[in-house]
């Protein structure tokens, strides 16, 4: 991403300085970089289909093991960023989203989950195990 977009992301994260990893509205210093890193790491796994996994750890970034939570952070940043930084980050996220849709399956029982009303990335199949 461009230097301007990186600077805008850092400014946006600082503007949400009352938050820290895992709390508040999801943005903290370095949250977008961490979310992108976890999203890409998830998609680098081998295999045709991937199952999302639940996060379970006291570590501040542990919630990002669940790629849906990482995607939530990116969505928050997309809403907070000004144009054209929003568009630039949006193009990166759109490529990752396309691969996530391709490599995960929809959860036919998502309506039973607490967050069934969430965005599409929360309605993908999970493996049912807690990992971190």
């Amino acid at each position: 991403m461009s230097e301007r977009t990186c600077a805008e992301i850092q400014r946006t994260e600082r503007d949400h300085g009352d938050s820290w990893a895992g709390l508040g509205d999801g943005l903290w210093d370095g949250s977008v970089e961490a979310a992108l890193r976890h999203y890409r790491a998830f998609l680098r796994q081998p295999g045709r289909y991937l199952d999302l996994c639940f996060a379970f750890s006291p570590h501040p970034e542990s919630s990002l093991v669940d790629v849906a939570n990482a995607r939530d952070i990116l969505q928050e940043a997309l809403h907070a960023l000004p144009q054209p930084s929003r568009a630039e980050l949006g193009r990166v996220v759109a490529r990752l989203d396309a691969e996530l849709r391709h490599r995960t399956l929809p959860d036919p029982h998502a309506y039973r989950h607490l967050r069934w009303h969430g965005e599409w990335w929360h309605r993908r199949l999970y493996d049912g195990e807690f990992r971190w």
Side-chain angles (χ1 to χ4, degrees):
M1 285 187 278
S2 70
E3 287 183 31
R4 178 184 178 146
T5 297
C6 292
E8 288 287 346
I9 289 170
Q10 288 176 345
R11 183 196 56 77
T12 300
E13 291 170 341
R14 272 195 311 275
D15 287 351
H16 292 80
D18 57 338
S19 299
W20 54 280
L23 294 179
D25 59 2
L27 295 180
W28 68 88
D29 286 341
S31 61
V32 172
E33 186 274 329
L36 286 171
R37 187 176 64 247
H38 282 274
Y39 203 168
R40 288 175 175 138
F42 176 79
L43 294 172
R44 276 195 303 268
Q45 295 178 85
R48 166 64 177 98
Y49 290 108
L50 301 174
D51 292 335
L52 279 66
C53 60
F54 296 102
F56 186 73
S57 168
H59 188 275
E61 275 191 31
S62 70
S63 69
L64 303 182
V65 170
D66 180 350
V67 77
N69 292 335
R71 183 58 178 83
D72 284 341
I73 287 173
L74 296 172
Q75 189 69 18
E76 179 97 23
L78 286 168
H79 285 293
L81 284 170
Q83 285 289 17
S85 298
R86 179 184 312 143
E88 188 174 351
L89 178 61
R91 286 188 294 274
V92 171
V93 172
R95 286 190 300 271
L96 296 171
D97 285 350
E99 187 173 351
L100 184 69
R101 283 180 194 234
H102 180 73
R103 296 193 60 206
T104 60
L105 298 170
D107 182 352
H109 303 290
Y111 67 91
R112 295 180 184 172
H113 302 302
L114 196 58
R115 294 189 67 157
W116 69 271
H117 59 280
E119 298 284 351
W120 67 266
W121 51 86
H122 284 281
R123 295 189 305 267
R124 309 307 280 180
L125 281 178
Y126 278 78
D127 69 2
E129 294 179 24
F130 290 94
R131 292 190 220 165
W132 57 283

